[in-house]
Amino acid sequence: MLGHYDPYLVALSVVVASFGGYVALDLASHAREAGRGRNGWLGAAALALGAGIWSMHFIGMMAMRMPVPVSYDILLTALSFFLAVGVSGTGLFAVAHGGGGRTTLGAAGLLTGFGIVAMHYVGMAGMRLPVPLVYDTPLVAASVVIAVAASTAALWLAFRAASPLQRLSGALVLGAAVVSMHYVGMAAASADATAIGHAAHADAAPATDDLGFVLSTPSLAVGTGVGTLLILSLGLLSVLIDRRRSAEHAAGQEARYRAVVDTAVDPIVVIDETGIIQSFNRAAETTFGYAAAEAIGANVRILMAEPHHSAHDGYMAHFRETGERRIIGIGREVEGRRKDGSLFPLELSVAEWHDGRQRLFTGIMRDITARKAAEDALHRAKAEAERAREEALAARDNAERADMAKTKFLAAASHDLRQPVQSLFFFAHALSDRLDGHPASPLLASMSESLNGLRTLLDSLLDVSRLDAGVVTPAVTEFALGPLLQRLADEYRGRAAEAGIALRLVHTEGWTRSDPALVERILRNLVENAIRYTESGRILIGCRRTGKGLRVEVLDTGIGIPENKRDEVFVEFTQLANPERDRRKGLGLGLAIVRRLAGLLGHEVTLRSRPGRGSAFGLTVPSVAPRQVMKTCRPAAQSAVQPPANSGKGLVVVVEDDAIILLSMRTMLEEWGYEVVAAVSADEAVGTLTSLGQRPDMIVADYRLREGRTGLQAIRDIYGVCGVRVPALVLTGDTDPARIAEVQQSGHRLLHKPVAPEVLRNALTSAA
């Protein structure tokens, strides 16, 4: 193109292009660092780059001094500006959001280069000249290549320039490239010299239309350049202000982070990708013994024990190459090494993060020496506890075996001890009837009293042993308390009267759920104690409601019990009013048995007493609804049936393998007026009954018989001969719960040896 360039305006275009490139690179770099408003800063970078390129292009065109007047089309000039900004923004956003890969960068550079070329030639088309322009094809192609290369370089630099020096170097390269592209493009345009000469000598002013204007002075070019520089300076200033604000914010964040890290009780260490320590808090100084100045800059291996010490660098290299995580995000226990070389257990967790420039790792550690010691102590305690448990189980097994042996001993001892005592009872009772009025009667009475004491002693000792051995199993049922209390009152009223004591019963309609035999044993002990320790006055037996239960009470006007002795009276062999150990006053086992039986049944025993005024023992039992009891009627005897001439109260079959007991029992029963068939076995009893041709009125059989047979089998054999079921009693000295349960299930009444004669007589009378 004919004409010449204004060197000052050319220089201004270079400055504008370079400064625009610098501001654009700076804004793009800030966009990359900014967490918030990234797209806004990218838009500002696009505007700076586009404005710099367009302003340089416009100033460059006005720098050309031509011999003819030049005007510009407003719309095409504006379009060229928007093209410059648009293609710059498209390229920057594409690279920013596309990851910056080679493919993305190449495509974005190509698009931006063609956009800049379009901007340039649209701007050239906006020139209004009196002569037409002709473009040189090789120079146009060169301008396109320069534009694409400059655009690609600009986009690459936008996301690689980190320091101000790098940005300045990139800006100079970018400015030079854009200026080169522009002036190559300008050189590609030419016009006919003759036509230009005629136009230059024309007198008329350059024509303009409504959409054109004449720009013939350099002042507008300077104004455009200065304006662009001011706008770019404002953009740069905004970046600087935002950077300062971000730096202040980061400093505050850093201060807070440092405060948190330095006051943390656990060691916190930050390392980079090569394992170099970047941060070392106070807890880490205390734990590892290194000062922060010693640790920062050193490899983190100084804090590690083998094998981690030797393997750490290899692990970091493996992580950088493959991205495989072996520790990151996973807590684990490792060994740490202090400055003095000592090792200790610690718990380590590692987190990965980026600061925008590099990848860092934060390790949070905890010294678990105390916890490990506690765990070791716990393991030792568990081991000791397990040994203690095994010893306890062994002791329990031994105790259970001892209890089983004790139970067997009690069963055998009970049977063997009760047998001779039983025979003494029966012989003494038979003698008492025959020696009535004889001078030896007092001696016999003393012997009977001694036998009663021996029976009481034997019963009490064996009962306590059975309760301690746990062989007593309650047979719980619902029953009325009235008949039980009435029976006790009737039984003990005579003994109380002999001692000068009035025994009174308050009738009750209450029902309870318990074991009637064990409840009777408890109340019997309480009544016997009341008679034993009451010298005069009265004894009252009654029942009252209390809450949801019933309390059966035995009240007396006896000697009473001091408050500080009320717990002692329930201890074995404790007798407060029997210092001389008079056996007639018992052994001191009655209340001990009462407490054991009550505990077995789950009932509460209470005691109220005032010394010299009497005592009130209570047994609290559950209350249940009364039931309707069907009364049985016994048919009247037929007058036509006459008893045998040789019978008194009836025929009793006694089956007992102990000859002495058999003789004593036969003697006693005959004294009572019974006809007796005495046999040592079931076969003998069956043979005698068969020869007599009589059916017995009662069967009394010992449980243990010869040849391993039992009294229950003997009773069944006799039933087979008689053809009917007759009342039967089973006597036993065996305390084995299985034997007792077997007899109870048979439906026969069970009496424990030694049996008092009056108890046997009452049993025979009630069963007849």
Side-chain angles (χ1 to χ4, degrees):
M1 182 177 288
L2 295 178
H4 66 279
Y5 286 98
D6 185 329
Y8 295 105
L9 293 182
V10 172
L12 179 61
S13 68
V14 174
V15 170
V16 169
S18 299
F19 189 63
Y22 180 84
V23 173
L25 294 178
D26 196 57
L27 288 170
S29 176
H30 187 60
R32 185 176 67 249
E33 298 170 357
R36 295 181 299 176
R38 183 184 185 190
N39 290 334
W41 291 111
L42 282 175
L47 181 62
L49 183 59
I53 293 173
W54 180 86
S55 180
M56 176 269 151
H57 159 76
F58 193 65
I59 294 171
M61 287 194 299
M62 287 189 291
M64 171 63 72
R65 293 297 178 218
M66 299 182 66
V68 295
V70 180
S71 65
Y72 292 86
D73 185 276
I74 296 176
L75 293 180
L76 291 177
T77 302
L79 177 61
S80 68
F81 174 80
F82 289 116
L83 278 172
V85 174
V87 296
S88 299
T90 301
L92 287 173
F93 276 89
V95 175
H97 294 285
R102 293 181 179 180
T103 302
T104 302
L105 182 63
L110 188 64
L111 176 65
T112 304
F114 278 110
I116 292 175
V117 169
M119 178 273 300
H120 174 78
Y121 287 105
V122 168
M124 292 287 291
M127 296 176 65
R128 293 289 183 259
L129 295 172
V131 293
L133 292 176
V134 179
Y135 290 96
D136 183 83
T137 302
L139 290 178
V140 170
S143 69
V144 172
V145 172
I146 293 172
V148 171
S151 299
T152 304
L155 295 176
W156 183 83
L157 289 171
F159 295 95
R160 294 296 185 275
S163 66
L165 183 60
Q166 289 176 325
R167 287 194 291 273
L168 179 59
S169 301
L172 293 176
V173 172
L174 180 60
V178 172
V179 169
S180 298
M181 174 268 158
H182 171 77
Y183 287 107
V184 169
M186 289 290 288
S190 63
D192 183 31
T194 304
I196 292 175
H198 288 299
H201 290 88
D203 295 332
T208 63
D209 55 24
D210 294 338
L211 296 177
F213 58 95
V214 177
L215 296 173
S216 58
T217 61
S219 59
L220 185 58
V222 173
T224 300
V226 171
T228 302
L229 291 175
L230 287 175
I231 293 173
L232 293 175
S233 298
L234 289 176
L236 185 60
L237 181 62
S238 66
V239 171
L240 295 176
I241 293 174
D242 194 70
R243 275 205 178 97
R244 181 175 180 181
R245 187 181 297 117
S246 298
E248 292 175 351
H249 179 72
Q253 291 286 86
E254 174 68 18
R256 285 192 290 272
Y257 164 77
R258 179 54 56 189
V260 171
V261 169
D262 283 343
T263 57
V265 297
D266 292 330
I268 300 177
V269 178
V270 179
I271 64 172
D272 61 14
E273 288 183 298
T274 62
I276 302 303
I277 298 175
Q278 305 294 319
S279 177
F280 202 74
N281 73 339
R282 293 176 184 172
E285 292 180 324
T286 303
T287 301
F288 290 96
Y290 289 98
E294 296 177 280
I296 295 176
N299 195 292
V300 74
R301 291 181 303 169
I302 64 173
L303 310 180
M304 298 179 179
E306 293 294 349
H308 305 291
H309 178 87
S310 301
H312 180 264
D313 288 348
Y315 164 72
M316 294 300 296
H318 177 79
F319 173 74
R320 287 194 299 270
E321 293 173 2
T322 66
E324 181 183 352
R325 303 183 177 191
R326 298 178 181 174
I327 300 178
I328 299 171
I330 304 172
R332 61 183 299 182
E333 292 183 5
V334 297
E335 265 194 325
R337 185 175 66 181
R338 298 185 179 93
K339 184 178 180 180
D340 60 7
S342 61
L343 304 180
F344 65 99
L346 61 83
E347 193 174 65
L348 170 66
S349 60
V350 180
E352 177 188 2
W353 56 285
H354 296 262
D355 67 350
R357 293 169 299 182
Q358 61 178 335
R359 182 161 41 190
L360 298 171
F361 305 91
T362 298
I364 301 177
M365 291 158 276
R366 176 169 296 173
D367 186 345
I368 57 174
T369 303
R371 192 180 79 185
K372 283 294 186 181
E375 289 177 355
D376 293 341
L378 181 60
H379 290 323
R380 289 193 299 271
K382 285 183 177 180
E384 293 176 1
E386 181 63 22
R387 287 195 298 272
R389 188 183 72 86
E390 293 175 355
E391 293 174 358
L393 290 176
R396 186 195 66 182
D397 293 341
N398 292 334
E400 288 177 351
R401 287 192 293 269
D403 284 343
M404 182 62 65
K406 182 179 179 181
T407 300
K408 293 180 179 179
F409 167 76
L410 289 173
S414 175
H415 181 271
D416 295 342
L417 290 174
R418 292 174 190 262
Q419 289 290 83
V421 175
Q422 182 67 79
S423 61
L424 288 175
F425 263 112
F426 292 158
F427 278 130
H429 192 78
L431 282 175
S432 65
D433 292 338
R434 296 186 180 186
L435 297 179
D436 187 20
H438 192 275
S441 293
L443 294 176
L444 184 59
S446 298
M447 185 180 71
S448 297
E449 186 175 348
S450 298
L451 287 174
N452 281 324
L454 180 59
R455 179 183 63 83
T456 302
L457 173 62
L458 188 59
D459 285 344
S460 298
L461 289 174
L462 291 175
D463 284 344
V464 170
S465 298
R466 290 172 60 220
L467 289 170
D468 288 342
V471 298
V472 178
T473 303
V476 178
T477 185
E478 294 183 0
F479 62 95
L481 285 169
L484 187 151
L485 299 181
Q486 185 66 54
R487 184 168 63 254
L488 289 176
D490 292 343
E491 180 179 340
Y492 286 101
R493 187 172 283 113
R495 283 183 53 186
E498 292 177 0
I501 305 168
L503 190 151
R504 188 167 69 90
L505 170 67
V506 178
H507 184 68
T508 179
E509 299 291 338
W511 280 61
T512 188
R513 179 174 178 79
S514 187
D515 184 321
L518 298 183
V519 170
E520 179 177 352
R521 182 63 189 276
I522 292 173
L523 296 177
R524 186 180 296 277
N525 283 350
L526 295 179
V527 174
E528 288 184 352
N529 265 15
I531 295 175
R532 186 175 295 125
Y533 295 106
T534 301
E535 297 178 355
S536 62
R538 66 183 184 278
I539 296 174
L540 177 64
I541 304 174
C543 180
R544 66 174 67 185
R545 293 194 176 275
T546 170
K548 296 183 180 181
L550 299 172
R551 185 165 64 233
V552 184
E553 291 189 324
V554 178
L555 300 89
D556 63 60
T557 58
I559 60 175
I561 302 171
E563 184 174 357
N564 61 344
K565 299 292 185 180
R566 291 178 187 174
D567 289 334
E568 294 183 19
V569 297
F570 291 98
V571 178
E572 294 87 346
F573 306 107
T574 300
Q575 290 179 298
L576 301 182
N578 188 18
E580 67 278 5
R581 308 301 296 173
D582 185 354
R583 293 300 96 192
R584 293 174 299 177
K585 295 183 179 181
L587 300 171
L589 293 173
L591 291 180
I593 294 174
V594 166
R595 172 162 287 183
R596 282 171 167 79
L597 289 175
L600 180 65
L601 295 171
H603 302 336
E604 180 186 8
V605 177
T606 58
L607 168 60
R608 305 189 312 274
S609 183
R610 293 179 62 185
R613 301 289 297 275
S615 303
F617 286 88
L619 177 68
T620 302
V621 296
S623 176
V624 298
R627 293 187 313 198
Q628 186 72 23
V629 179
M630 300 298 295
K631 297 182 179 180
T632 57
C633 298
R634 180 177 296 173
Q638 298 181 6
S639 58
V641 179
Q642 299 295 332
N646 60 346
S647 68
K649 295 181 179 180
L651 177 62
V652 178
V653 177
V654 179
V655 183
E656 170 64 68
D657 61 347
D658 190 307
I660 298 177
I661 295 180
L662 181 64
L663 177 59
S664 62
M665 187 178 294
R666 177 174 184 174
T667 302
M668 183 178 65
L669 291 176
E670 288 176 346
E671 291 291 335
W672 290 346
Y674 290 99
E675 183 181 359
V676 180
V677 172
V680 295
S681 66
D683 293 339
E684 183 180 347
V686 169
T688 303
L689 289 174
T690 302
S691 62
L692 288 175
Q694 289 183 261
R695 189 179 68 189
D697 298 288
M698 175 70 67
I699 303 171
V700 178
D702 185 32
Y703 180 81
R704 288 189 181 183
L705 298 176
R706 296 176 182 176
E707 299 178 355
R709 293 181 60 82
T710 67
L712 297 178
Q713 294 171 329
I715 293 172
R716 286 194 293 270
D717 291 344
I718 295 172
Y719 282 173
V721 174
C722 299
V724 295
R725 182 183 178 95
V726 298
L729 297 176
V730 178
L731 305 182
T732 182
D734 198 334
T735 58
D736 191 337
R739 303 292 174 263
I740 296 173
E742 182 184 1
V743 176
Q744 290 175 341
Q745 291 173 2
S746 69
H748 305 311
R749 183 169 179 181
L750 176 66
L751 296 179
H752 283 282
K753 295 179 180 180
V755 181
E758 60 271 16
V759 174
L760 180 59
R761 175 182 287 178
N762 291 336
L764 292 172
T765 302
S766 61

